[in-house]
Amino acid sequence: MASTKTMLQLQERVRLPRTAWKLADLAVLFLLLALLARRASSLVAAGCAAPACTWCWVAALICEAWFTVVWLININAKWNPVRFDTHPERLAQRTSDDELPAVDMFVTTADPKLEPPLVTMNTVLSLLALDYPAGKLTCYVSDDGCSAVTCYGLREAAEFAKLWVPFCKKYGVGVRAPFVYFSSGAAGAAADAEFLRAWTLMKNEYEELVRRIENAEEDSLVRRGDGEFTEFVGADRRNHPTIIKVLRDSSSKSKSNQAADDGIPSLIYVSREKSPTQHHHFKAGAMNVLTRVSGVVTNSPIMLNVDCDMFANNPQVALHAMCLLLGFDDDVHSGFVQAPQKFYGALNDDPFGNQMQVIFEKIGYGVAGLQGLFYCGTGCFHRRKVMYGVPPDSATTTSTKDSPSYKELQNKFGGSNELIESARSIISGDMFKSPTTVVADLTNRVEAAKQVSACSFETGTSWGQEVGWVYGSMTEDVLTGQRIHAAGWRSAILNPDPPAFLGGAPTGGPASLSQYKRWATGLLEILLSRHNPVLLSAFKRLDFRQCVAYLVIDVWPVRAPFELCYALLAPYCLIANRSFLPKSSEPGFVIPLALFLAYNAYNLGEYKDCRLSARAWWNNHRMQRIVSASAWLLAFLTVVLKTVGLSETVFEVTRKEQQSSSDGDAGDGADDADPGRFTFDSSPVFVPPTALAMLSIVAVAVGAWRVVAGAVPAAGGPGAGELVCCGWLVLCFWPFVRGLVGKGSYGIPWSVRLKAALLVAAFAHLCTRN
């Protein structure tokens, strides 16, 4: 019996060896502590042994103490890495297709201009073609832009799916997002004539789909005489009633079309009600509406959510996820299953530092060995009962006697009878049972779905607090994941081969920094709220080490003022003729030199261990300095101003790249010549790094002039350390140095240069005052 159980094991938790890296962690920590000890001893020394610029050394001591804390936080997250190996081929031995749990798939889009409908269509088509029983899948698309073009594109995609899904399954297509599949060409000369005919037909059909979607216009669709899009007449994206359309219903096929439509999941379009008098809570609000709508329509016990540009790259991803959701002895270990974010068509060597491969491999696998990987907002399978706020103890001991009363469910979930009954079935039922609310025709549930998607439905309920996606932060994913972990649930990392999902990484300076600023703003909102992981660890069931692991990302914006302060010390000392580092002739100089070399060698080693180039390491190191001085700094200031009531945070949608073979509307050809080169606009986010680049150049020039003129004093003035630091800053901010002489989008706008120059002049004036 034991051997049978081992044979049927769906997942294996594999510990990853890390002895050498642990020794390297401790070596860098030792150097950090040695630097702190050296600086503290210099500050307490009496008489002439005290440094000439005492306040510089005090500032440096505070910053270096902070860097030591950050290093300890990172060590904790990396210390116990694990991976999960999944075996979907064993599922058939454990359960039949009819017994697999149903999955509701959520796709969110917010702006048809920044997130082109064709991007969303490819993601939807990849999900509809998954290797999973079609009757167990339903795809819901949330359109917060209330766009008739998006709805039209989904309708066309649903028709194309009647050809695409059978084609994929018949010929075993690996990547089922059409734009990726057809960009690689046909299978080659070895392909038989039947396949080549089918491939050519499918490619022509897809190109026709692309043409129709790209040529669709909002006004012409709304003015059509057939009335199909009349609900969009007069609808403003910020003020409109709920629009729900069942575009494909796999549960109500007639015998006449059953053969043609067999094996294609249901597809439902949702544009939730919006009103200027109600707060809509951005993506978190949209996800909660999808949760309620799906609860009264299909009520599947598993929910998958993906961003509109994150297509399913592995057609067996749902089966791999089931190996984790069903493969543990109890549900507590798989409250949700998260796939790391990976990207398609990524630029070589990650010039904008946003592919995050090392973060996921080093931090992600390490956190997976604690309470589980963070929820990343996309590519995640949740148990519905987990999102309903059910603690793991209740999930394993629920009985009819302990089932919550109707009044309790009404206070928690709202006044919809259909939603209350569906929630009761999820909380009290078995994941393998068919949901009791599902009916033969999904269109019969539209009115109930519209009721639960009303603006005012959440008033007086637990939605956004104890139920669903949590409100209060622009990074609703991290906040929601913290709530789930704090309830006692654990999560598992899903990393099959090939990768589960692939998405598009933003390119160019404005898009990249805008994304980092949004993340950092949300993370600081979490840190300053009652959802702080420290409080969750103290008063709830968040493991202490998991709490410290959350701080790895939560403190991103807090790092900005410390890193900015440390970056300003070297230019200050060169201009003011002071020092904050030991002289090269002093024994203490060895400590910062060894720390500098060891830290960078350590980081370079991590990138090589992740099969990345030295160029990728440098690009990411450089971008971390840039992001800290720009996006993180502005996020820090934004949240501080919001806290004191002087500002409000604004959600910014990151532009998604158009997925099309056509280059006719690609934009400025000059910008496309070098997609890896930094681009600029007049956003305030570019002012601080531009000022730092200017200041570093000025400081290097002043330091070099002193060396050439022989004007360096014997004691108290700057040495080689300060000059090297400023030179290093120039290298880190080299894209901004190039931007100072660049043209077009590659050049820093004059308004930004002027503001930066005024900051540099003011700083230089302060440096020269006695």
Side-chain angles (χ1 to χ4, degrees):
M1 189 68 180
S3 61
T4 303
K5 185 175 181 179
T6 302
M7 180 187 67
L8 296 178
Q9 189 173 1
L10 300 178
Q11 58 80 25
E12 298 176 67
R13 189 175 189 267
V14 181
R15 291 190 175 275
L16 303 177
R18 201 176 182 274
T19 304
W21 286 107
K22 289 180 179 179
L23 294 175
D25 290 336
L26 296 175
V28 174
L29 178 62
F30 172 78
L31 290 172
L32 283 166
L33 295 175
L35 181 62
L36 289 177
R38 166 70 183 179
R39 196 171 294 281
S41 64
S42 297
L43 286 170
V44 299
C48 62
C53 184
T54 303
W55 78 263
C56 293
W57 283 63
V58 171
L61 175 64
I62 295 172
C63 293
E64 288 158 0
W66 169 254
F67 299 152
T68 305
V69 171
V70 171
W71 186 255
L72 285 169
I73 291 173
N74 278 270
I75 287 178
N76 166 75
K78 298 176 181 179
W79 203 252
N80 301 109
V82 300
R83 74 167 189 267
F84 292 93
D85 294 338
T86 50
H87 306 285
E89 70 280 359
R90 300 176 183 174
L91 271 172
Q93 303 175 49
R94 284 276 288 265
T95 181
S96 66
D97 285 355
D98 292 337
E99 294 176 329
L100 285 172
V103 181
D104 287 335
M105 305 179 292
F106 301 157
V107 180
T108 52
T109 183
D111 190 318
K113 294 182 179 178
L114 297 179
E115 299 173 333
L118 190 59
V119 175
T120 306
M121 301 314 115
N122 272 278
T123 296
V124 169
L125 287 168
S126 72
L127 295 175
L128 295 179
L130 290 180
D131 288 336
Y132 204 78
K136 299 280 187 175
L137 295 177
T138 304
C139 183
Y140 295 82
V141 180
S142 170
D143 176 22
D144 259 12
C146 192
S147 168
V149 174
T150 300
C151 185
Y152 167 79
L154 283 170
R155 190 198 69 178
E156 294 298 306
E159 289 299 310
F160 176 71
K162 296 177 183 179
L163 300 174
W164 176 246
V165 174
F167 172 81
C168 289
K169 295 186 176 181
K170 179 178 180 180
Y171 295 106
V173 173
V175 180
R176 297 179 182 179
F179 86 99
V180 176
Y181 178 68
F182 291 119
S183 66
S184 60
D192 58 42
E194 179 189 356
F195 170 74
L196 288 176
R197 283 194 300 270
W199 184 92
T200 302
L201 173 64
M202 198 58 53
K203 187 173 188 294
N204 292 337
E205 290 289 341
Y206 176 66
E207 288 175 348
E208 179 63 21
L209 172 70
V210 171
R211 185 192 64 79
R212 291 196 300 269
I213 293 176
E214 289 185 337
N215 293 336
E217 295 181 357
E218 196 85 21
D219 292 341
S220 62
L221 289 173
V222 172
R223 292 171 184 167
R224 277 187 175 183
D226 56 12
E228 184 176 358
F229 299 99
T230 54
E231 293 172 281
F232 292 91
V233 175
D236 180 83
R237 60 176 300 174
R238 297 179 182 84
N239 186 14
H240 63 86
T242 296
I243 301 175
I244 298 178
K245 291 183 176 292
V246 179
L247 303 175
R248 160 75 190 155
D249 185 355
S250 63
S251 66
S252 62
K253 294 178 294 187
S254 64
K255 292 183 179 180
S256 61
N257 65 6
Q258 186 172 2
D261 292 356
D262 191 33
I264 304 171
S266 300
L267 176 61
I268 300 175
Y269 171 88
V270 179
S271 184
R272 57 179 171 146
E273 181 187 14
K274 285 191 175 181
S275 168
T277 62
Q278 297 283 343
H279 198 304
H280 305 113
H281 302 289
F282 312 118
K283 183 180 176 181
M287 292 302 300
N288 283 339
V289 168
L290 286 180
T291 303
R292 295 195 295 272
V293 167
S294 64
V296 300
V297 177
T298 48
N299 202 33
S300 299
I302 303 298
M303 302 184 296
L304 162 67
N305 85 279
V306 296
D307 288 343
C308 65
D309 67 329
M310 190 70 65
F311 64 86
N313 181 64
N314 187 327
Q316 291 195 322
V317 60
L319 297 176
H320 283 280
M322 292 308 145
C323 290
L324 294 170
L325 290 165
L326 309 178
F328 292 97
D329 293 334
D330 53 55
D331 295 349
V332 67
H333 289 92
S334 55
F336 63 87
V337 175
Q338 175 68 60
Q341 289 193 38
K342 299 187 178 182
F343 305 96
Y344 65 87
L347 298 174
N348 289 336
D349 301 324
D350 193 11
F352 300 102
N354 50 22
Q355 295 174 25
M356 300 179 292
Q357 182 174 337
V358 174
I359 290 179
F360 273 112
E361 289 200 27
K362 297 299 181 179
I363 301 292
Y365 283 121
V367 176
L370 302 177
Q371 206 171 344
L373 183 61
F374 311 141
Y375 171 38
C376 301
T378 182
C380 187
F381 292 82
H382 285 97
R383 296 181 187 273
R384 186 180 288 268
K385 63 185 176 186
V386 171
M387 298 308 297
Y388 281 178
V390 179
D393 295 340
S394 300
T396 57
T397 61
T398 300
S399 64
T400 305
K401 179 178 64 177
D402 301 325
S403 181
S405 67
Y406 182 90
K407 187 64 176 177
E408 291 173 326
L409 291 173
Q410 185 181 45
N411 292 336
K412 191 172 185 179
F413 293 97
S416 166
N417 292 332
E418 291 86 351
L419 181 60
I420 290 172
E421 290 306 315
S422 71
R424 187 192 299 278
S425 70
I426 289 294
I427 294 172
S428 307
D430 187 333
M431 187 163 74
F432 298 98
K433 291 180 180 177
S434 297
T436 56
T437 58
V438 174
V439 294
D441 191 347
L442 299 185
T443 57
N444 293 339
R445 314 300 299 176
V446 170
E447 289 306 315
K450 287 184 176 181
Q451 178 189 355
V452 299
S453 58
C455 283
S456 58
F457 183 82
E458 294 180 351
T459 304
T461 70
S462 297
W463 287 99
Q465 301 171 57
E466 300 173 7
V467 177
W469 275 253
V470 183
Y471 301 151
S473 169
M474 296 175 70
T475 51
E476 76 294 323
D477 48 359
V478 176
L479 184 57
T480 302
Q482 284 185 178
R483 177 184 68 80
I484 295 171
H485 283 137
W489 292 98
R490 296 181 176 273
S491 58
I493 185 170
L494 174 66
N495 197 20
D497 185 21
F501 302 94
L502 292 180
T507 58
S512 298
L513 295 185
S514 172
Q515 184 181 69
Y516 273 114
K517 180 177 178 291
R518 184 176 74 247
W519 289 345
T521 301
L523 293 170
L524 190 54
E525 287 173 333
I526 294 173
L527 206 58
L528 298 180
S529 73
R530 62 185 178 88
H531 302 292
N532 184 304
V534 176
L535 297 178
L536 296 180
S537 178
F539 299 105
K540 293 195 176 182
R541 299 169 64 181
L542 186 68
D543 290 352
F544 175 73
R545 288 192 61 192
Q546 184 76 9
C547 156
V548 177
Y550 268 113
L551 292 177
V552 170
I553 57 173
D554 284 353
V555 300
W556 276 0
V558 182
R559 291 170 56 176
F562 292 97
E563 294 189 12
L564 176 63
C565 176
Y566 207 74
L568 291 174
L569 286 176
Y572 171 82
C573 290
L574 283 175
I575 296 173
N577 207 17
R578 304 293 181 89
S579 70
F580 81 104
L581 291 170
K583 299 292 189 294
S584 57
S585 58
E586 299 175 2
F589 182 77
V590 175
I591 298 176
L593 176 62
L595 179 59
F596 175 80
L597 296 175
Y599 175 78
N600 285 289
Y602 177 97
N603 281 331
L604 176 59
E606 283 193 320
Y607 278 79
K608 300 301 287 185
D609 192 47
C610 294
R611 304 161 303 283
L612 298 175
S613 66
R615 180 73 177 180
W617 161 76
W618 171 249
N619 287 339
N620 278 261
H621 176 84
R622 177 195 67 189
M623 278 302 300
Q624 187 171 337
R625 304 284 78 76
I626 292 172
V627 168
S628 177
S630 55
W632 290 355
L633 181 63
L634 260 68
F636 179 84
L637 296 175
T638 298
V639 177
V640 168
L641 292 175
K642 175 189 174 185
T643 303
V644 298
L646 297 179
S647 177
E648 284 292 332
T649 54
V650 178
F651 186 86
E652 301 173 54
V653 178
T654 304
R655 178 177 293 275
K656 307 298 190 297
E657 298 298 326
Q658 179 79 29
Q659 298 167 340
S660 171
S661 58
S662 174
D663 294 325
D665 58 354
D668 187 358
D671 289 349
D672 296 334
D674 187 1
R677 187 173 172 183
F678 220 87
T679 54
F680 304 89
D681 61 20
S682 57
S683 169
V685 77
F686 291 106
V687 175
T690 302
L692 268 177
M694 289 180 174
L695 182 62
S696 300
I697 294 172
V698 171
V700 168
V702 171
W705 175 82
R706 283 207 178 96
V707 171
V708 172
V712 179
E722 287 79 8
L723 190 59
V724 168
C725 284
C726 283
W728 189 254
L729 282 175
V730 172
L731 293 176
C732 289
F733 289 93
W734 189 252
F736 287 80
V737 176
R738 293 182 68 184
L740 290 172
V741 296
K743 296 181 180 179
S745 62
Y746 294 140
I748 299 173
W750 281 104
S751 60
V752 174
R753 301 186 202 190
L754 178 60
K755 295 171 185 175
L758 291 174
L759 289 175
V760 171
F763 184 82
H765 175 68
L766 291 174
C767 293
T768 54
R769 288 184 59 185
N770 292 322

